[in-house]
Amino acid sequence: MTTVIAPSEAEAAQAPDAEATDFVVQDVPDAVVRDAREFGVYARTGGWAFALKVARSVRPGGQAAQDSPKVSAKAFAELAECSPERVMRYYKAWDMAADDGLVPQFEALVPGEDIELPEADVWLSYYSSRSSASSVRGHAITAAAEAEGIRPTKALEVAENPTALRAAILADPGTAEAARGALLDRMKDDPALQTGMARAIARTDELKKAVAGEAKAADRIGYVRQIVEKGQVRTPAGQTVEAPAAVRAEAERHLSLIDELDDSEETGEWAGEAYEAVKGMVAEAVEADPALRVQERRTKFYNSLQKATKVFEELTLDEVLEEDVLEDDMLQRLEALQEAIGSCISALRKATDASS
């Protein structure tokens, strides 16, 4: 038995976890004292306390049994009733620390002998409880974690428990946002992930609608941004012309408001307002310029004529005749179209003769 003197009132008040007791002298079993002291060692040194037990008791690689009182990692694991892999993780952590000069080499350690150990917070820099750390995947995760300035063990733990990661994403907006950013960064260099995400979006109606809405907003913002950055504007008929000063100033005003929005704010309404305002000013500018107005109408007519020509060329007359699917209504529509085209040609010829 070991006699332990009770702490003074001042000392007890400073100990946040101390229980209120009235004893002056208390007899404490040796087993309790031993547990408390071992706990104190672990509290100060963390995993180093257990790594030392491995380092001073397990033979270094290549050393013959007769040359050392130490045992193999396998024998140590059998005595400890755990796996050799677990023992070797502690062994490798000590080996790396020894290479850095933080702890003595294995050969300098004697079974049962204690030494001064590093602080606990250094331990995780050398130890990984994850067997995946030594795999190709583990090395990649470790490198990425170090690049982000976090401990590899944290990243490896998350990678080995995707269910926990899913739960955190579902429950916490901050985690979900971090996951979204990581996926976007990875997709830049991962075509397979790009395809997978695109397929998932295409098969989900809600996501399809959201993507369509964002695409529309992005197109409208692009329309406004082109006016600001290139000084050019696209007219309703599709012409690209120099943007009038007033149009460019209005585009700059709206774009500055959009650029000030946070990532979490919706841009659709702002984009729509900017697009409609600038588009209206462009239409007014076209009508106010006689030469531009003529060119705009000419371009619009050409566009309509091209569309009509393409549609007519796509009519499959052979199939209609071969399969006997022709109906009177089809012929009547074609005759009406022929009359409309004839009237259009006549009007254009008269206009041409009048201008010549």
Side-chain angles (χ1 to χ4, degrees):
M1 302 286 287
T2 300
T3 300
V4 178
I5 307 299
S8 66
E9 292 183 4
E11 291 172 334
Q14 293 177 354
D17 297 328
E19 294 183 358
T21 59
D22 295 327
F23 69 89
V24 177
V25 176
Q26 178 180 354
D27 290 334
V28 180
D30 290 341
V32 175
V33 175
R34 185 169 59 253
D35 283 349
R37 288 175 177 169
E38 290 180 357
F39 175 82
V41 171
Y42 184 78
R44 292 189 301 274
T45 64
W48 293 115
F50 296 106
L52 173 61
K53 297 179 187 297
V54 172
R56 69 191 182 188
S57 300
V58 173
R59 286 195 306 273
Q63 190 176 67
Q66 59 269 25
D67 297 333
S68 172
K70 301 180 182 182
V71 299
S72 66
K74 182 178 180 181
F76 188 89
E78 290 176 356
L79 292 170
E81 298 182 352
C82 69
S83 68
E85 289 78 16
R86 181 180 293 274
V87 172
M88 287 305 299
R89 286 199 287 274
Y90 281 85
Y91 182 95
K92 290 175 181 178
W94 188 279
D95 191 25
M96 288 189 292
D99 288 341
D100 290 345
L102 194 64
V103 294
Q105 295 288 341
F106 296 105
E107 291 78 5
L109 299 174
V110 177
E113 182 179 321
D114 288 327
I115 64 168
E116 185 175 350
L117 296 171
E119 295 294 329
D121 57 359
V122 186
W123 169 247
L124 288 177
S125 299
Y126 292 94
Y127 175 77
S128 173
S129 61
R130 310 289 154 186
S131 59
S132 62
S134 59
S135 66
V136 174
R137 174 173 175 264
H139 285 307
I141 294 172
T142 298
E146 292 173 347
E148 294 289 338
I150 63 173
R151 291 173 178 171
T153 50
K154 294 289 185 182
L156 288 164
E157 182 178 358
V158 171
E160 289 189 5
N161 198 341
T163 303
L165 176 61
R166 172 183 168 82
I169 292 173
L170 291 174
D172 177 43
T175 304
E177 178 60 24
R180 182 194 67 82
L183 282 172
L184 289 176
D185 289 342
R186 181 177 176 85
M187 278 196 290
K188 295 175 183 176
D189 302 314
D190 191 338
L193 182 58
Q194 292 175 14
T195 302
M197 290 295 290
R199 185 180 296 117
I201 291 172
R203 293 175 178 177
T204 308
D205 290 340
E206 292 80 1
L207 292 179
K208 280 197 296 185
K209 292 177 182 177
V211 169
E214 288 299 318
K216 183 177 181 180
D219 287 342
R220 289 181 164 184
I221 293 173
Y223 177 84
V224 177
R225 192 177 298 279
Q226 178 177 307
I227 297 173
V228 174
E229 296 179 352
K230 297 184 178 180
Q232 295 179 326
V233 63
R234 192 170 65 252
T235 68
Q239 294 186 85
T240 299
V241 298
E242 290 297 317
V247 173
R248 191 165 185 174
E250 182 70 3
E252 287 177 350
R253 185 179 73 82
H254 282 282
L255 190 61
S256 65
L257 294 173
I258 292 173
D259 287 341
E260 289 176 3
L261 296 176
D262 295 333
D263 290 340
S264 59
E265 295 185 76
E266 295 289 339
T267 59
E269 184 177 349
W270 293 84
E273 182 179 337
Y275 177 77
E276 294 298 335
V278 174
K279 184 180 178 182
M281 292 185 68
V282 170
E284 292 175 0
V286 169
E287 288 298 316
D289 186 328
L292 187 57
R293 182 174 68 249
V294 169
Q295 183 59 34
E296 179 76 357
R297 292 176 179 176
R298 181 181 293 119
T299 302
K300 185 178 180 180
F301 184 83
Y302 269 118
N303 290 341
S304 299
L305 183 60
Q306 188 174 11
K307 291 178 182 177
T309 302
K310 183 177 180 181
V311 170
F312 187 79
E313 289 174 347
E314 290 177 351
L315 291 178
T316 52
L317 298 178
D318 291 342
E319 293 181 2
V320 172
L321 297 174
E322 289 175 2
E323 299 295 334
D324 194 25
V325 296
L326 181 63
E327 294 182 352
D328 293 341
D329 181 62
M330 295 180 184
L331 189 57
Q332 291 171 4
R333 291 190 176 218
L334 283 171
E335 289 173 346
L337 178 59
Q338 183 181 30
E339 291 179 5
I341 294 175
S343 298
C344 180
I345 293 173
S346 297
L348 291 176
R349 281 178 177 168
K350 289 179 180 179
T352 302
D353 292 341
S355 62
S356 59

